[in-house]
Amino acid sequence: MNITKATEQTRALRQFQLDEAKTQIERNKLGQFATPTDLASDILKYAFELFPTNLKIRFLDPAFGTGSFYSALLQVFPSSQIAEAVGYEIDPHYGLEAISLWRDTPLRLNITDFTQATLPNSDYKKANLLICNPPYVRHHHLSRVEKQRLQSKTLQIIGIKLSKLASLYCHFLSISDAWMADNCLAGWLIPSGFMDVNYGQQVKEYLLNQVTLLRVHRFHPNDVQFEDALVSSAVVWFKKALPPANHHVEFSYGGSLTEPDFRQHISVEVLCDKTKWIKIGNVSNKTSDNFQQFQLKDLFTIKRGLATGANNFFVLTKQQVTAYQIPTEFFKPILPSPRYLLVDEIEANNVGNPILSQQLFLLDCHLPLSEVKAKYPMLWEYLQMGVENGISDRYLCRHRSPWYSQENRPPSPFLCTYMGRQDTKRGRPFRFILNNSQATATNVYLMLYPKPVLTQALSQNPEKIKQVWQALNEISDEMLMGEGRVYGGGLYKLEPKELGNAIASIPLLF
């Protein structure tokens, strides 16, 4: 079969049509995000530079799809050099089409789950060139039984037990070790999150100790490689051989795989001591010596915002406060929901109220009802409305004394949104907000209260508060999503302890 650009255009069109026939939820469940043509071509061109010209290719793609990498393989390498090509695809929706597309080529495509396939029992059946874009399935979509099976198989193959929080692509990469011949060249297109999050530590342990890590190229976070998946990507290259003494790994950043914006070589010894790789090879990190890494729980006490039990009763607009003639001493400013908060830095007026188009106030009174009735009749009348409408009988209210008092949540200088989606105009599920006002927040925010050591540092250098805020915003989405949880439809949530586990590079303040 003569593979041309027209052949690849046909494949890409069929891929698009097959994707369109599925819902986004169906594809998310199986982590089905096809590799774009240009990126697949770049990856195989780089493989051509590394692969020995005198060696016959035994190719393997464990997550085949319709074959973007295989198409690039056939265009980049001479057909006489390709001895064998094997693929695995779990979904017949794509697999059957791929079999039809490549029926006149040497491809042997298996429509089955690669992680459950029978391992090769001899070296000559193993691949010497493996290229893969594994399914990006987060651990939340894996059942407990499936996680245990994958952990057991990974432990059996590479001797490392991956975290229960590991995404499916981590298991794919680990299990494939059994499918690679000695000196096999492997190129993996995976989320860059493994460089940053806790569950990536075991993956990095494998890459540093059991194979020779050649190169890690990280695309700029704004340069999303997949039109239908907002995830920062990296291409990881390694050879199945123990690393030589004094081995150095190339890290590149930005641009393309073939023409990155920045390159840097780091020794394996140095990499073993680094818990985070996300900044390596980043041209903007040349002043990294001026930063120190902290888990957020070491610098902040993190709490959910307050739960009123009835926001529509306890949170009032300025106009409502005036209309009900309730004394202002029983109100404190409160932030609107993130969807209505259009700025990430909140300025304040001379009394500490946030300067926002929507100004809201929280009703909070700790006086007994008898005193309220005697001294503040307009407030008493409003509270009676709450009794008549059943507000006082709601779960949270009836467990408070008095029922119209609120939790203690002083304003915090930093906030993080509690939940969010990637498919928004911002493209980020979480936001960090700098709060210069005296406004508190409801439980749709996480409130970050600086601990004494940070409080003291900021009191001595007040101008540094924006540097801390910037450092919080530079925490990768992958890290935050990796620490949190995801629900149906791609809704991500972070609890206080989960946010506390995230790591930030904070400017030296101490």
Side-chain angles (χ1 to χ4, degrees), residues 433-444:
I433 293 155
L434 180 60
N435 180 23
N436 297 304
S437 77
Q438 291 299 306
T440 187
T442 63
N443 57 356
V444 290

Side-chain angles (χ1 to χ4, degrees), residues 438-506:
Q438 291 299 306
T440 187
T442 63
N443 57 356
V444 290
Y445 293 94
L446 301 180
M447 307 183 76
L448 286 73
Y449 298 96
K451 288 187 172 181
V453 62
L454 181 57
T455 298
Q456 182 179 358
L458 291 177
S459 66
Q460 295 172 354
N461 299 282
E463 73 281 358
K464 297 288 187 180
I465 192 169
K466 287 197 175 183
Q467 292 185 22
V468 175
W469 176 46
Q470 181 180 358
L472 293 173
N473 275 303
E474 288 178 354
I475 300 174
S476 71
D477 292 341
E478 288 78 12
M479 171 173 282
L480 295 174
M481 292 186 295
E483 296 295 346
R485 57 198 69 188
V486 65
Y487 295 87
L491 178 67
Y492 292 90
K493 290 185 179 181
L494 268 176
E495 296 295 344
K497 287 185 178 179
E498 294 166 344
L499 178 59
N501 291 331
I503 298 172
S505 295
I506 303 291

Side-chain angles (χ1 to χ4, degrees), residues 305-358:
L306 56 86
T308 68
N311 285 355
N312 59 347
F313 180 80
F314 290 109
V315 179
L316 285 73
T317 65
K318 190 174 183 179
Q319 293 75 16
Q320 287 175 314
V321 172
T322 301
Y324 288 116
Q325 301 180 46
I326 303 172
T328 57
E329 65 193 85
F330 297 111
F331 287 99
K332 60 183 68 173
I334 191 168
L335 297 177
S337 166
R339 74 173 65 180
Y340 301 114
L341 187 63
L342 304 181
V343 296
D344 289 338
E345 181 177 3
I346 301 167
E347 300 294 350
N349 62 19
N350 57 355
V351 295
N353 291 338
I355 301 175
L356 299 172
S357 57
Q358 183 183 34

Side-chain angles (χ1 to χ4, degrees), residues 59-65 86-91 108-120 125-127 130-135 146 149-150 153-154 157 168-180 188:
F59 175 79
L60 172 65
D61 182 348
F64 195 83
V86 177
Y88 284 84
E89 171 53 47
I90 192 172
D91 190 350
R108 188 171 78 252
L109 182 60
N110 304 279
I111 302 180
T112 188
D113 182 354
F114 171 72
T115 69
Q116 300 197 60
T118 302
L119 300 177
K125 292 184 178 181
K126 296 182 179 181
L130 186 154
I131 307 291
C132 186
N133 167 17
E146 180 69 352
R149 181 188 72 81
L150 291 166
K153 190 154 191 175
T154 296
I157 291 174
L168 183 58
Y169 74 85
C170 301
H171 293 284
F172 257 70
L173 189 149
S174 303
I175 290 171
S176 72
D177 184 90
W179 295 76
M180 295 189 295
W188 289 85

Side-chain angles (χ1 to χ4, degrees), residues 130 153-162 169-188 190 194 199-214 236-243 247 249 268 271-272 277:
L130 186 154
K153 190 154 191 175
T154 296
L155 179 62
Q156 172 193 351
I157 291 174
I158 65 172
I160 297 174
K161 185 177 182 179
L162 295 186
Y169 74 85
C170 301
H171 293 284
F172 257 70
L173 189 149
S174 303
I175 290 171
S176 72
D177 184 90
W179 295 76
M180 295 189 295
D182 289 344
N183 294 309
C184 174
L185 174 65
W188 289 85
I190 58 178
F194 84 95
Y199 70 72
Q201 289 300 116
Q202 293 91 10
V203 175
K204 289 183 282 190
E205 179 184 341
Y206 167 76
L207 293 173
L208 292 175
N209 298 314
Q210 299 195 31
V211 295
T212 300
L213 183 59
L214 302 173
V236 178
W237 293 93
F238 60 86
K239 182 170 64 173
K240 189 177 179 182
L242 293 177
H247 180 62
V249 180
V268 168
L271 290 173
C272 286
W277 293 1

Side-chain angles (χ1 to χ4, degrees), residues 120-287:
N121 55 14
S122 60
D123 286 344
Y124 75 90
K125 292 184 178 181
K126 296 182 179 181
N128 59 12
L129 176 61
L130 186 154
I131 307 291
C132 186
N133 167 17
Y136 182 41
V137 179
R138 291 175 50 74
H139 74 92
H140 311 86
H141 292 307
L142 301 174
S143 68
R144 181 178 59 82
V145 172
E146 180 69 352
K147 287 181 183 180
Q148 290 175 342
R149 181 188 72 81
L150 291 166
Q151 282 182 318
S152 177
K153 190 154 191 175
T154 296
L155 179 62
Q156 172 193 351
I157 291 174
I158 65 172
I160 297 174
K161 185 177 182 179
L162 295 186
S163 165
K164 64 180 180 181
L165 302 179
S167 297
L168 183 58
Y169 74 85
C170 301
H171 293 284
F172 257 70
L173 189 149
S174 303
I175 290 171
S176 72
D177 184 90
W179 295 76
M180 295 189 295
D182 289 344
N183 294 309
C184 174
L185 174 65
W188 289 85
L189 174 60
I190 58 178
S192 61
F194 84 95
M195 304 169 71
D196 217 5
V197 296
N198 291 339
Y199 70 72
Q201 289 300 116
Q202 293 91 10
V203 175
K204 289 183 282 190
E205 179 184 341
Y206 167 76
L207 293 173
L208 292 175
N209 298 314
Q210 299 195 31
V211 295
T212 300
L213 183 59
L214 302 173
R215 182 182 176 190
V216 178
H217 175 75
R218 186 167 70 92
F219 295 97
H220 191 282
N222 293 334
D223 184 14
V224 178
Q225 299 302 301
F226 301 90
E227 293 182 0
D228 48 2
L230 293 171
V231 59
S232 298
S233 302
V235 184
V236 178
W237 293 93
F238 60 86
K239 182 170 64 173
K240 189 177 179 182
L242 293 177
N246 302 316
H247 180 62
H248 284 64
V249 180
E250 179 183 341
F251 279 77
S252 55
Y253 176 77
S256 66
L257 179 66
T258 52
E259 296 183 5
D261 293 335
F262 186 75
R263 297 176 186 265
Q264 184 178 4
H265 287 81
I266 309 289
S267 72
V268 168
E269 184 179 3
V270 170
L271 290 173
C272 286
D273 291 334
K274 286 185 175 290
T275 57
K276 290 176 63 178
W277 293 1
I278 204 71
K279 294 284 187 178
I280 300 174
N282 186 342
V283 70
S284 65
N285 193 46
K286 291 181 178 179
T287 59

Side-chain angles (χ1 to χ4, degrees), residues 370-427:
S370 58
E371 186 174 348
V372 172
K373 184 176 182 180
K375 296 182 178 179
Y376 306 99
M378 299 307 293
L379 172 58
W380 184 83
E381 287 186 14
Y382 186 77
L383 295 178
Q384 287 303 109
M385 290 172 52
V387 174
E388 294 168 3
N389 291 318
I391 303 296
S392 60
D393 290 329
R394 293 190 181 184
Y395 179 82
L396 288 179
C397 295
R398 72 171 185 264
H399 283 83
R400 295 197 298 249
S401 182
W403 65 266
Y404 43 83
S405 62
Q406 303 296 339
E407 299 175 90
N408 181 31
R409 286 293 187 278
S412 61
F414 306 100
L415 301 105
C416 179
T417 51
Y418 166 62
M419 66 180 73
R421 304 177 186 274
Q422 281 188 303
D423 56 347
T424 63
K425 291 181 179 179
R426 291 176 179 266

